[in-house]
């Protein structure tokens, strides 16, 4: 039973489930469903897929996640960035709307699901930690721009070829601005206005009118519903699709999603695999950060590996029911949480309501203008553009700011997939670069205390015969040559030095390359008449040195417990004040 | 002038050059030339090239290196591992011996020369530090095995197709063992015996006879010359090439190397570029480690970036004079050094002697058996197999041993180029993995001192309301999630905790991701009624924290200079002894 619980979190909450929870989850499920219908269709269009694919991806995946997920509030379904990545992957292979395009999207869902599931079973959830915040921030901001501009064609009713280069998109838009369909643009402008007002003002107005804060916040999320209702009615009543050429959602096949296995074409699988891995990673990253931030508000726990399994199952579920890759969406999960979802049953209720929609309600959205869906996307992704993150990073640490900017630029110039890979590689390279040139500080005694500090920052006393250097980094292959050169240079500059004490308080490990380098250094220093000593070696580091003959190689050199002890033993009374 | 000196080290030693130096360099140059003639031809054959290409690569490159190199003893020319990499790169593109194969080798020399030169001008010499010792050791051992077995066909006089898979080579050899040319095998066995005796015994015997140690060491290097002389005479006098089918070097075009620009075919350049970059890196690595180890014996300095420039020029020189990629060879440089080379003029003298050889002496080596050259290669690469490195790494650190073994296995199973890339990536991944799960120690006070140590390793006193944790790693994106989870788990397990003190003595920097994580942690701890404090924050880390609003976010939390101070302030008198 405990094993079952571990893999099926549903057994944790289902036994104690009662009426109160059901009311709460029911309301949240309804609100998310109302939000998800237009959003799902909009993101499917963004991915270059028919709108119903977005709805299909909002049924079975939600049920699977509800049973397996460890987060109580994550709302799974189509999300903007993953949709963009699907479009950018498949856009290179197939014309939008072709049968190959759709089956490619289904295969992507299966592959990323299988990758997520495999990572979860292999407990590889930690891999996501190797994407740094600046890289994620640069990636999201750039992706949001790409997504936003990709909607220009729907907002203006003009024809812009799909491209990942934002400059090309803008160029096309400018050159065809004369062909703008003014009615379409009017619908878009109205939708944008409604969405913005709901998003930024309505809660305040309602609060001023005395509506309870919680209710006001939920009502403020109804912007998409209102925009969809008003613009659909306008198109229907005025016949704008016929008279003004406004593009509408039109016929959506009614009935439940088709149940079919994805087509397993080995060549295509090989071709799509890298993109599927990136989609899996990015989708997981978005989901797990949302889930963690919501869980911490209610002191619940999210298990990254269980999330991998649940999202994997959700994606595989999508692939068998005509859907495309899904993830936990930020905005939607926040609505779910705010609206009162207490268990994943809320998601299952959402799924049920979406199923009812595709079964019976598709005629109601026949006249829904695509411009309205585009407006919903634009407003949703606008929040992803994070200028503050760049400003903060710039103020704090230029290397982080560089990662952010390079990722941003790479996504815009070479595309979403390569862009994030490039950013991640750069952030790792910058870390390696930093650790390959460790900070070293010569230290001296502070007054008559037992404290030793950097001679450049503090007023300390030193002994010209004893050089005491604190190395502020673990010793490993990438920094041994630097360390060796720097220390030997210091020694050769000051011939009066007889002892070199390496203070190891910040050295957390010494790898085999660094060990060799230290042994070589002992030898070279000995030739120069200098004895190498160590001080403040940590327990785990000392344990390893004890395993090999290093302590014998030290010869006359000693290992001191503290810098103070080293100084007393090597300098005796002789001390002079540092300049 | 000082700028000229910086880029042309020849101006450092030429002005003070005298007779004594000339005598010393002359002798060393002669000895290296005698060694280089058979070795150069042997390595060219290993690379799948005509023997004269190895001689051509031993003239102009040596002169260029002599003028530009910062090492006084490095002997440049064809080397085993680079030759193997040339063979493995070109073997996939062309049949051995074809015109395309030769022009490919020349282009590889040009490309790796250009890459080295570019890296030198961009001062990228540090890049080589990212190859760890275990990776280099695993790579060299595996490459030596591949090289050794590739010579079986020459040693046995049978036909084995070129392959990078050692198992296939052995399989072919076993299945054709019946076709062994016994005379060839006899020549090989004789050569191997001569080489082994000279290498392992002769110096001892001569010393016992009273020969001076230095002379004995130089004479012991004459093994290849003796083997070449005896086996060539035997083939010539007995007509073994005709009567017994012994493969010989045969006609070598006499005259200086052809002066011609390499063919610049853009498609081929793109194809060869990655391999050229690896050849450049490996060649540079071998050269610079030899140069550094020799320089340190005479207290001279080697400038890695200058070496890049000199080796780049040497390779470009090779490509314009019919040669193939060169590097500083280990054995040859040691001979040069031992024989008394004091300046790079020794190399220039060697080059002159090799030029005389190709002009006038090629008829003398007409009957030189290929089996003898193969024996020279086998004995030369045998030293590269380093079992002790594995044993040492295994004893010291399993992660290093794993890098070594994986690199070794990868070179043998997927080839030299991919193998070293894989090994390097693995060693970096292992480092990142290690730093992503930092060691954390809860500390307590040792007796009544100001020292605080790990509660698990020492007898210390702690206060149940104050949790003091030392984090033994810099905080960066890959370990923030781990740290956050681990610290919050400790706090939630012990509800009596009111203060969490992070001891930052081993934290050398905090990147932007970790800063965000700390800020999130302050908030989460505050919700749990726990205040976060810092202690022993290093100067550079504190400087950065001061730049942003972090210290305000700490709220009631404080930054203590020492753990002792934190303990005094937070615990007052209350202390209990740890279990």
């Amino acid at each position: 039973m405990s094993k079952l619980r571990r893999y099926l979190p549903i057994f944790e909450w289902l036994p104690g489930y009662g009426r109160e929870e059901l009311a709460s989850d029911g309301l949240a499920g309804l609100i998310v469903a109302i939000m998800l219908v237009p959003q799902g269709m909009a993101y499917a269009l963004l991915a270059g897929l028919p709108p119903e694919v977005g709805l299909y991806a909002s049924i079975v995946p939600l049920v699977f996640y509800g049973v397996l997920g460890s987060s109580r509030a994550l709302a799974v379904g189509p999300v903007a960035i993953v949709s963009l990545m699907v479009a950018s992957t498949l856009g290179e292979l197939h014309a939008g709307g072709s049968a190959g395009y759709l089956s490619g999207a289904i295969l992507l869902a299966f592959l990323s699901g299988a990758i997520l599931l495999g990572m979860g079973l292999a407990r590889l959830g930690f891999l996501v930690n190797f994407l740094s915040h600046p890289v994620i921030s640069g990636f999201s901001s750039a992706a949001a721009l790409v997504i936003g501009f990709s909607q220009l064609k729907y907002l203006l009713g003009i024809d812009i070829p799909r491209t990942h280069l934002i400059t090309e998109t803008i160029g096309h838009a400018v050159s065809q601005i004369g062909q703008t369909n003014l009615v379409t643009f009017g619908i878009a402008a109205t939708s944008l206005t409604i969405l913005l007002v709901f998003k930024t003002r309505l809660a305040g107005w309602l609060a001023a009118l005395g509506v309870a804060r919680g209710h006001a916040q939920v009502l403020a999320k109804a912007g998409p519903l209102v925009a969809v209702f008003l613009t659909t009615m306008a198109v229907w009543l005025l016949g704008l699709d016929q008279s003004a050429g406004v593009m509408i959602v039109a016929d959506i096949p009614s009935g439940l999603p088709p149940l079919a296995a994805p087509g397993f074409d080995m060549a295509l699988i090989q071709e799509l695999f890298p993109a599927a891995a990136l989609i899996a990673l990015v989708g997981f990253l978005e989901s797990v950060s949302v889930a963690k931030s919501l869980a911490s508000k209610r002191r619940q726990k999210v298990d990254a590996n269980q999330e991998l399994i649940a999202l994997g199952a959700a994606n595989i579920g999508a692939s068998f029911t005509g859907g495309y890759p899904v993830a936990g969406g930020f905005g939607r999960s926040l609505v779910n949480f705010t609206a009162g979802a207490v268990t994943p049953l809320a998601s299952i209720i959402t799924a049920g309501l979406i199923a009812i929609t595709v079964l019976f309600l598709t005629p109601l959205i026949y006249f829904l203008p695509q411009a309205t869906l585009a407006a919903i996307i634009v407003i949703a992704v606008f929040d992803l553009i994070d200028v503050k993150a760049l400003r903060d990073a710039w103020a704090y640490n230029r290397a982080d700011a560089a990662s952010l900017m390079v990722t941003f630029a790479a996504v815009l110039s070479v595309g979403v997939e390569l862009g994030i890979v490039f950013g991640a590689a750069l952030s790792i390279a910058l870390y390696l670069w930093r650790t390959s040139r460790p900070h070293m500080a010569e230290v001296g005694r502070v007054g008559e205390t037992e404290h030793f500090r950097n001679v450049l920052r503090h007023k300390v006393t030193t002994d010209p015969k004893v050089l005491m250097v604190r190395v502020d980094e673990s010793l490993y292959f990438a920094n041994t040559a630097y360390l060796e050169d720097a220390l030997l240079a210091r020694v050769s500059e000051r011939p009066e030095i007889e002892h070199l004490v390496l203070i190891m308080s910040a050295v957390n490990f010494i790898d085999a390359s660094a060990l060799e380098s230290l042994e070589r250094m002992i030898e070279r220093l000995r030739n120069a008449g200098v004895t190498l000593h160590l001080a403040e070696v940590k327990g785990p580091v000392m344990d390893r040195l004890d395993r090999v003959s290093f302590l014998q190689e030290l010869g006359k050199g000693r290992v001191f417990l503290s810098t103070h002890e080293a100084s007393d033993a090597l300098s005796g009374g002789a001390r002079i004040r540092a300049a």
Side-chain angles (χ1 to χ4, degrees), chain A residues 452-520:
Chain A
F452 287 76
R453 289 293 162 95
N454 191 336
V455 296
L456 301 178
R457 284 177 174 259
H458 299 268
K459 216 169 177 181
V460 294
T461 55
T462 55
D463 176 347
K465 286 196 300 208
V466 181
L467 175 63
M468 299 199 287
V469 177
R470 193 188 70 218
V471 183
D472 285 350
E473 193 61 61
S474 291
L475 309 184
Y476 80 113
F477 58 88
N479 62 24
T480 51
Y482 178 85
L483 184 78
E484 223 178 306
D485 290 349
L487 289 174
L488 292 171
R490 281 189 201 223
V491 168
S492 70
E493 276 162 20
R494 283 150 61 177
E496 67 276 16
I497 292 173
E498 290 170 16
H499 300 278
L500 170 59
V501 182
L502 279 188
I503 302 164
M504 313 281 276
S505 50
V507 173
N508 304 311
F509 60 84
I510 299 177
D511 78 355
S513 307
L515 181 70
E516 258 186 76
S517 163
L518 279 178
E519 289 173 351
R520 204 162 47 224

Side-chain angles (χ1 to χ4, degrees), chain A residues 100-119:
Chain A
Y101 195 98
L102 176 59
S103 63
I106 290 175
L107 187 57
L108 273 179
F110 178 81
L111 290 177
S112 43
I115 292 167
L116 288 164
L117 196 60
M119 284 176 64

Side-chain angles (χ1 to χ4, degrees), chain A residues 54-136:
Chain A
L55 297 176
Y56 296 162
S58 309
I59 303 175
V60 171
L62 277 67
V63 177
F64 281 18
Y65 182 84
V67 173
L68 291 165
S70 70
S71 162
R72 303 255 171 131
L74 194 69
V76 166
V79 298
I81 289 186
V82 165
S83 301
L84 173 68
M85 293 174 85
V86 168
S88 120
T89 306
L90 298 176
E92 288 168 15
L93 299 175
H94 300 284
S98 70
Y101 195 98
L102 176 59
S103 63
I106 290 175
L107 187 57
L108 273 179
F110 178 81
L111 290 177
S112 43
I115 292 167
L116 288 164
L117 196 60
M119 284 176 64
L121 295 174
R123 314 199 73 68
L124 295 179
F126 72 90
L127 275 185
V128 81
N129 298 336
F130 287 93
L131 285 175
S132 76
H133 290 215
V135 167
I136 295 165

